[in-house]
């Protein structure tokens, strides 16, 4: 008798569990950067937070990095709903939305952008142009750099062939470089074969791709503000309950706070680069000034040319002068 009762109980329990499981919403996520790499880690912590807080209600199924979806396709995959969530830099979708190239030009943290209306404006552009919700920013507060295998001694890249994405294209071209666009996954081979003399990349992460083996110099100062966004398909976002949205927003704000720690990681990475023999070429005085001025000028010029409607407004929202 007891046996019968407990087996009935077991059946009822497992039925209840099945119902709970059936009701848990599962969203698919990908990153444009290698799984576990520095450009994915803050996003992966965000996923863990959502999954812990959303237990039984909502869960993110992390499919992984560029093996799942090619980097330049991630935003499109989120737009069409092939995946629900993507961790991707604006440069990888500026072909579909040129205003995305302005995100690296922000001169303030996300907390400020959320207060001064910049986030709201940029989110609306994402809603309308890309059918995505701009949930938050997973990488912030650290610069991009130029890495080289041939030395330079001034702010002049004439005669050099550099690997780029839209992040660096206008700037390096303005300084005389010949540029070639590749995804991160193609950089190692391009360096190995000598197809390029250098590449643009953030201060963090070259070890994730093994490029330290093929890199002689890093040029300082760094420029811009590395931007990686967490995009959510807009239809998916609208379907979430208020409770689910609150879980996502809380995890996104936490992620933006965690990004405040990236400068410390950047300092460690710079040390590690020096320890494996990567030399720093530091442009000084007038050259450093010219370097930074050209970076800013070339990129804003391009954003405003491509988006005369929104470019100037973005500049006033994202820059301090
Ligand atoms: O260099 C790149 O591939 C690039 O544009 C980028 C942007 C943000 C983070 C890492 C890389």
């Amino acid at each position: 008798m007891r046996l019968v009762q407990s087996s009935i109980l077991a059946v009822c329990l497992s039925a209840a569990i099945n119902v709970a499981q059936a009701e848990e919403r599962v969203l698919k996520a990908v990153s444009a950067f290698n799984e576990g790499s520095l450009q994915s880690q803050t996003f992966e912590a965000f996923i863990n937070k959502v999954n812990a807080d959303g237990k039984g209600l909502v869960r993110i199924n992390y499919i992984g990095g560029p093996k799942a979806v090619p980097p330049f396709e991630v935003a499109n995959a989120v737009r069409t709903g092939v995946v629900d969530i993507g961790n991707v830099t604006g440069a990888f979708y500026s072909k579909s939305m040129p205003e995305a190239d302005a995100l690296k030009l922000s001169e303030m943290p996300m907390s400020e952008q959320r207060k001064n209306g910049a986030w709201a404006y940029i989110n609306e552009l994402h809603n309308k142009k890309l059918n995505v919700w701009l949930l938050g920013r997973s990488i912030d507060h650290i610069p991009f750099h130029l890495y080289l295998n041939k030395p330079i001694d001034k702010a002049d890249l004439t005669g050099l062939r550099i690997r780029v994405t839209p992040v660096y294209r206008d700037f390096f071209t303005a300084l005389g470089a010949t540029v070639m666009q590749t995804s991160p996954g193609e950089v190692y081979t391009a360096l190995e074969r000598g197809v390029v003399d250098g590449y643009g990349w953030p201060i963090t992460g070259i070890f994730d791709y093994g490029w330290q083996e093929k890199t002689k110099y890093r040029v300082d100062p760094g420029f811009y503000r590395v931007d990686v966004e967490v995009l959510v398909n807009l239809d998916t976002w609208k379907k979430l309950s208020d409770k689910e949205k609150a879980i996502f927003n809380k995890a996104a704000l936490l992620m933006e706070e965690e990004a405040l720690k990236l400068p410390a990681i950047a300092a460690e990475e710079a040390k590690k680069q020096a320890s494996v023999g990567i030399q720093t070429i530091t442009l000084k005085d007038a050259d450093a000034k010219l370097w930074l001025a050209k970076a800013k000028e070339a990129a804003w010029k391009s954003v405003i040319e491509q988006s005369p409607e929104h470019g100037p407004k973005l500049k006033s929202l994202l820059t301090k002068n």
Side-chain angles (χ1 to χ4, degrees):
M1 185 60 193
R2 266 215 201 123
L3 195 64
V4 171
Q5 271 180 344
S6 66
S7 61
I8 288 171
L9 187 69
V11 167
C12 290
L13 260 178
S14 83
I17 288 166
N18 281 337
V19 168
Q21 276 174 348
E23 281 175 357
E24 187 181 61
R25 193 193 301 276
V26 180
L27 305 181
K28 266 193 220 167
V30 294
S31 178
F33 301 99
N34 286 358
E35 217 170 313
S37 71
L38 282 171
Q39 269 72 30
S40 292
Q41 281 178 15
T42 42
F43 175 60
E44 289 161 357
F46 157 83
I47 292 175
N48 292 338
K49 175 72 179 156
V50 169
N51 288 350
D53 290 357
K55 235 180 172 48
L57 188 66
V58 61
R59 179 166 63 82
I60 299 176
N61 175 18
Y62 183 39
I63 299 169
K67 285 198 188 87
V69 178
F72 292 98
E73 288 302 316
V74 166
N76 202 35
V78 181
R79 180 180 70 78
T80 55
V82 168
V83 297
D84 299 291
I85 306 168
N87 182 56
V88 59
T89 176
F92 291 1
Y93 58 91
S94 56
K95 244 189 162 170
S96 320
M97 183 185 145
E99 294 85 359
D101 274 338
L103 302 180
K104 67 182 182 226
L105 301 172
S106 70
E107 294 175 359
M108 64 197 68
M110 282 303 288
S111 52
E112 212 171 315
Q113 286 191 45
R114 288 181 184 278
K115 279 193 201 119
N116 79 352
W119 172 82
Y121 191 89
I122 296 165
N123 180 41
E124 200 181 329
L125 288 175
H126 279 78
N127 299 169
K128 289 189 176 146
K129 297 196 166 207
L130 217 61
N131 191 44
V132 301
W133 184 260
L134 180 61
L135 184 68
R137 181 152 165 166
S138 62
I139 307 280
D140 202 355
H141 309 284
I142 55 168
F144 291 99
H145 283 264
L146 171 63
Y147 297 85
L148 287 174
N149 281 324
K150 290 180 184 164
I152 56 167
D153 57 10
K154 53 182 186 299
D156 182 1
L157 302 176
T158 308
L160 296 174
R161 194 171 163 84
I162 311 290
R163 172 271 173 184
V164 296
T165 67
V167 167
Y168 331 90
R169 175 180 290 118
D170 302 296
F171 172 33
F172 294 166
T173 304
L175 292 182
T178 305
V179 296
M180 185 181 129
Q181 176 159 313
T182 82
S183 67
E186 293 162 331
V187 173
Y188 190 93
T189 310
L191 289 168
E192 192 173 39
R193 296 193 181 151
V195 175
V196 293
D197 303 310
Y199 57 94
W201 191 258
I203 184 69
T204 56
I206 69 165
F207 297 92
D208 290 327
Y209 294 85
W211 303 335
Q212 75 283 1
E213 293 168 9
K214 305 283 170 198
T215 304
K216 291 200 180 123
Y217 309 100
R218 186 190 71 245
V219 180
D220 283 10
F223 49 91
Y224 306 149
R225 229 175 142 102
V226 178
D227 71 286
V228 179
E229 279 68 49
V230 175
L231 308 180
V232 182
N233 173 277
L234 191 59
D235 306 305
T236 301
W237 180 254
K238 285 178 179 163
K239 271 186 225 151
L240 298 183
S241 67
D242 287 349
K243 198 168 167 195
E244 288 168 316
K245 281 182 182 154
I247 291 168
F248 273 80
N249 282 329
K250 187 174 171 196
L253 291 178
L254 191 69
M255 173 178 75
E256 289 173 2
E257 249 179 74
E258 284 297 303
L260 289 169
K261 296 179 188 157
L262 289 170
I265 294 174
E268 286 302 312
E269 288 273 295
K271 262 194 220 155
K272 200 168 155 193
Q273 289 175 11
S275 78
V276 299
I278 296 175
Q279 296 173 50
T280 310
I281 298 172
T282 307
L283 298 176
K284 293 204 184 81
D285 307 323
D287 273 298
K289 254 192 175 159
L290 179 68
W291 182 254
L292 295 175
K294 274 277 173 213
K296 188 170 167 176
E297 177 199 309
W300 275 118
K301 183 167 173 273
S302 164
V303 168
I304 290 167
E305 262 170 27
Q306 292 180 78
S307 180
E309 193 187 346
H310 302 290
K313 176 76 181 169
L314 289 169
K315 192 171 181 189
S316 78
L317 284 167
L318 293 175
T319 63
K320 299 273 191 185
N321 45 33

